[in-house]
Structures are given as C-alpha cells and as structure tokens.
Amino acid sequence: AQSVTQPDIHITVSEGASLELRCNYSYGATPYLFWYVQSPGQGLQLLLKYFSGDTLVQGIKGFEAEFKRSQSSFNLRKPSVHWSDAAEYFCVRGSTLGRLYFGRGTQLTVWP
Amino acid sequence: ETGVTQTPRHLVMGMTNKKSLKCEQHLGHNAMYWYKQSAKKPLELMFVYSLEERVENNSVPSRFSPECPNSSHLFLHLHTLQPEDSALYLCASSQGSEGGGVKLFFGSGTQLSVL
C-alpha cells in the first residue's frame, strides 16, 4: 500500500517555539513528497517539495523539511512559530497524473 | 489568490436536486482535478483531466459527473446525492500531469451540504 501517515492529529505550541510535524511514508522507491498547508478560507497551499537531491529542503514562510530514507520520514520543521502559522498541515506523496496521496493532516494551534 | 477560482463557495442541496460546481483557472495550465475532502478523512482524488481528456476516474459514483469543456474550466455536475456526499470539494490545476512531482494549485473549495 502506498500511504502517508501523520501520527499527530493536533499539536499546540507557543508563539516563538520551535515546531516539528511528523510524517512517515510507505513506498518502495524514492517518493515525491510535499507539505501543503490549509488555512481557513485560503485553500491548500504548497509549502515545499522533495523529489531528489539534497535531503533538506527549504520552503516558503520559513519552513523546511528533511527526507530521511532510513526512517521513511519527511518531517516538517520551523525554528520559531508565528501565530499566523496556525492551520492544518498535510504531508502528501505524489504520483503520476497529479495524483496526490494525502495524510490525514495535523492541526496546529499557536498560543500567544 | 492561487489563480484557481471555485463557485459557489457554499452549496446546500436536497437529495433530489441537480446542481453544478464550477472551477476556473487563470494560470494557463493544461490539467485539472477534483478532490474531495471529508471530515476526518484524507483528501481523495476524484477525477483528473489532462488536455481536456479525462484520464482518471477514481471509482467515483455516477451521481458525480465531471465536465471539462476547455483547459480553463472544469465542472462537477451533481445529481441525487446522498448525505454522506457532504464535503469540501476542491478543484486544482497544474501544468502537465505526468510524473509525480507536479505542483498543484488549489482553489478554495465548495463546501457542500446534502440534506
């Protein structure tokens, strides 16, 4: 089965704290991996993507993610969270024809 | 603003109604998609159109009927839906659809409630 797992349904952090959202994938070959963010009324927006090469990828809004083949993980990180980062985050695996396999999402709450 | 516009934003319909969701992209893309986002379930791909030809029908019931009259417009025609079809329906577009690394641009979605 080709799946993406986000083990944390909801995470709460204080503004200014660091953030790490977990993602694990199950796929034999090197996958195409993405992180999308969904804010209320703003739809889904691509944060970053990994296809090959450097395993640490930088995205928009100060986010980064690291691909670790040995752990089948693609965790999203941000060193200092802002209140505007509160949203739902999806780890996604890409396949042909634009097929995206979404994780269930992690809802991020940011305390002031 | 992603360049993908969906209308209406909200829709309430009865099970015997016929309605249509509309999606329009202003990005010059040649592939368009319908995704379904239900509560507590991962987003699910419904349909893929590449160069106006349907290339994916992901086991979607026939009460959902897509239409892609040109590369900029995508419709989802709804007929005799069930309450479990209530969900957020997301349209997306991309330039090219081959390969797994295609970047999709999503609209804000239509929140559908079936009574």
Side-chain angles (χ1 to χ4, degrees):
Chain A
Q2 303 166 347
S3 67
V4 174
T5 303
Q6 293 180 249
D8 303 307
I9 297 174
H10 196 171
I11 283 184
T12 300
V13 298
S14 298
E15 190 169 19
S18 63
L19 172 70
E20 183 169 30
L21 302 182
R22 296 184 291 166
C23 172
N24 294 97
Y25 67 90
S26 61
Y27 186 65
T30 299
Y32 296 94
L33 294 168
F34 307 80
W35 275 98
Y36 277 83
V37 59
Q38 187 175 32
S39 301
Q42 296 187 31
L44 281 157
Q45 183 181 22
L46 179 66
L47 284 176
L48 48 80
K49 59 186 179 182
Y50 171 78
F51 298 161
S52 64
D54 193 348
T55 57
L56 183 64
V57 294
Q58 302 298 319
I60 62 172
K61 303 184 180 184
F63 286 92
E64 66 177 26
E66 186 171 12
F67 174 71
K68 293 185 177 180
R69 183 187 300 278
S70 61
Q71 299 178 17
S72 297
S73 69
F74 187 57
N75 295 348
L76 181 71
R77 300 194 294 249
K78 186 170 183 178
S80 178
V81 171
H82 188 262
W83 64 266
S84 60
D85 294 324
E88 189 156 21
Y89 292 80
F90 294 92
C91 183
V92 183
R93 188 181 73 75
S95 183
T96 58
L97 292 175
R99 297 182 183 95
L100 299 182
Y101 297 93
F102 281 76
R104 288 182 173 271
T106 298
Q107 182 67 47
L108 174 66
T109 298
V110 180
W111 287 80
Chain B
E1 179 59 49
T2 64
V4 180
T5 303
Q6 289 187 243
T7 54
R9 293 294 299 272
H10 301 272
L11 178 62
V12 179
M13 59 186 290
M15 290 189 284
T16 59
N17 292 156
K18 290 183 181 180
K19 297 287 185 182
S20 296
L21 310 185
K22 179 182 176 181
C23 177
E24 183 174 2
Q25 57 97 359
H26 311 277
L27 302 168
H29 290 166
N30 60 10
M32 297 188 77
Y33 312 79
W34 281 115
Y35 277 82
K36 177 183 179 182
Q37 185 175 22
S38 304
K40 301 181 180 180
K41 290 179 66 176
L43 278 83
E44 304 169 73
L45 177 63
M46 299 176 72
F47 302 104
V48 179
Y49 276 83
S50 177
L51 299 173
E52 302 162 37
E53 178 181 349
R54 190 192 310 179
V55 295
E56 174 86 357
N57 180 344
N58 201 19
S59 303
V60 180
S62 59
R63 57 185 183 269
F64 295 90
S65 174
E67 178 189 4
C68 188
N70 54 63
S71 61
S72 299
H73 293 86
L74 184 66
F75 295 89
L76 187 62
H77 303 300
L78 314 172
H79 178 50
T80 60
L81 295 191
Q82 304 299 311
E84 59 265 28
D85 296 322
S86 298
L88 180 67
Y89 289 84
L90 292 164
C91 173
S93 70
S94 70
Q95 181 55 35
S97 60
E98 296 300 321
V102 173
K103 177 180 178 180
L104 267 61
F105 292 77
F106 284 86
S108 297
T110 295
Q111 185 65 55
L112 174 67
S113 297
V114 181
L115 304 179

